[in-house]
């Protein structure tokens, strides 16, 4: 998602909508994973020290990381990334999981029942969102938007050689300026239901 596009709020709306569905086998007990992936990855203490910056999706180039380690004693960021990617894929394979960010669209690209969404919005909408969520003024919010979007794009480019804005990497791209969370949740339910019926041969 683009920074400030409201992915966490959308995920919560989705879970609430799922909980109202009659098909309890399919739509009950979904979980959201975002920053709480830290709880999964922290099971390997040797990489825990670099998690905070990683979970803010702050990706340094390999050269920058090398020099960073010379100055401060930190874990190898690539090892941390690999562990996070493994955690993302493992959670997705368990199922009933909404994964926000963490290169989830690429790490789970080959899973047959995965649904990969891209959230975009105008800068005006995103600035308002990040100002509210992070208590920033307009100037700070604009700087943060650019910084976060750049880091996320770099992460996907360096590790997967993909353009984060390429729509072919997603099943759907939603514009939050024109689509409500409820509409996105409703469409997502329809796609999940159809895919699962087709896979079951129904």
């Amino acid at each position: 998602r683009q920074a400030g596009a409201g992915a966490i709020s959308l995920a919560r709306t989705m879970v609430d909508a799922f909980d109202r569905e009659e098909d309890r086998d399919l739509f009950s007990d979904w979980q959201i994973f975002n920053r709480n992936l830290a709880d999964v990855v922290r099971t390997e203490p040797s990489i825990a020290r670099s998690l905070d910056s990683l979970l803010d999706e702050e990706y340094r180039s390999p050269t920058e990381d090398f020099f960073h380690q010379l100055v401060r004693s930190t874990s190898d960021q690539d090892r941390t990334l690999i562990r996070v990617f493994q955690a993302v894929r493992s959670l997705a394979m368990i199922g009933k999981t909404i994964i926000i960010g963490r290169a989830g669209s690429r790490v789970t690209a080959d899973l047959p029942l995965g649904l990969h969404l891209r959230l975009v919005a105008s800068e005006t909408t995103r600035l308002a969102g990040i100002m509210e969520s992070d208590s920033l003024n307009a100037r700070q919010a604009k700087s943060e938007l650019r910084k976060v979007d750049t880091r996320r794009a770099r992460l996907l480019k360096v590790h997967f050689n993909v353009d984060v804005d390429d729509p072919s990497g997603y099943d759907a791209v939603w514009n939050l300026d024109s689509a409500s969370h409820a509409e996105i949740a409703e469409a997502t339910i329809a796609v999940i239901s159809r895919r699962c019926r087709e896979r079951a041969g129904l």
Side-chain angles (χ1 to χ4, degrees):
R1 73 281 190 217
Q2 290 182 318
I8 296 174
S9 177
L10 172 59
R12 291 171 179 156
T13 298
M14 284 184 170
V15 170
D16 289 343
F18 291 174
D19 284 342
R20 292 192 294 271
E21 287 296 299
E22 292 182 4
D23 187 342
R24 305 312 300 150
D25 289 339
L26 184 54
F27 287 107
S28 65
D29 301 321
W30 281 67
Q31 301 293 318
I32 301 168
F33 288 92
N34 183 33
R35 293 189 65 91
N36 53 349
L37 271 172
D39 296 334
V40 177
V41 182
R42 284 187 196 280
T43 58
E44 188 173 335
S46 64
I47 64 174
R49 286 173 295 178
S50 65
L51 270 176
D52 289 339
S53 64
L54 180 65
L55 291 175
D56 286 331
E57 297 186 79
E58 175 184 345
Y59 178 74
R60 296 182 298 271
S61 71
T63 302
E64 290 173 315
D65 197 38
F66 173 73
F67 285 110
H68 185 80
Q69 290 185 60
L70 290 180
V71 176
R72 294 164 53 191
S73 177
T74 62
S75 310
D76 175 21
Q77 194 170 58
D78 282 339
R79 274 191 66 217
T80 307
L81 279 166
I82 290 169
R83 185 70 181 91
V84 169
F85 294 159
Q86 290 172 333
V88 166
R89 188 171 176 84
S90 296
L91 289 167
M93 291 178 72
I94 292 170
K96 294 190 176 183
T97 303
I98 298 175
I99 296 168
I100 301 174
R102 293 23 179 187
S105 63
R106 303 316 308 161
V107 175
T108 66
D110 63 327
L111 298 184
L113 291 179
L115 182 60
H116 305 99
L117 308 180
R118 170 82 169 150
L119 304 182
V120 301
S122 65
E123 184 176 271
T124 300
T125 296
R126 297 191 299 125
L127 282 173
I130 204 166
M131 286 171 67
E132 179 180 351
S133 64
D134 294 357
S135 301
L136 302 176
N137 61 39
R139 181 183 58 80
Q140 292 170 326
K142 183 171 286 191
S143 174
E144 185 67 11
L145 280 184
R146 291 174 179 167
K147 183 168 60 176
V148 172
D149 282 340
T150 298
R151 288 172 177 168
R152 291 174 180 170
R154 185 188 300 172
L155 177 71
L156 288 183
K157 188 65 176 178
V158 169
H159 285 277
F160 301 96
N161 194 31
V162 297
D163 180 354
V164 69
D165 291 316
D166 181 359
S168 67
Y170 310 95
D171 295 292
V173 178
W174 288 100
N175 181 352
L176 273 298
D177 288 322
S178 57
S180 70
H181 289 176
E183 289 172 326
I184 299 171
E186 182 179 343
T188 301
I189 288 170
V191 173
I192 291 172
S193 297
R194 183 185 181 95
R195 287 188 177 182
C196 289
R197 285 198 306 270
E198 288 177 349
R199 189 157 180 86
L202 301 176

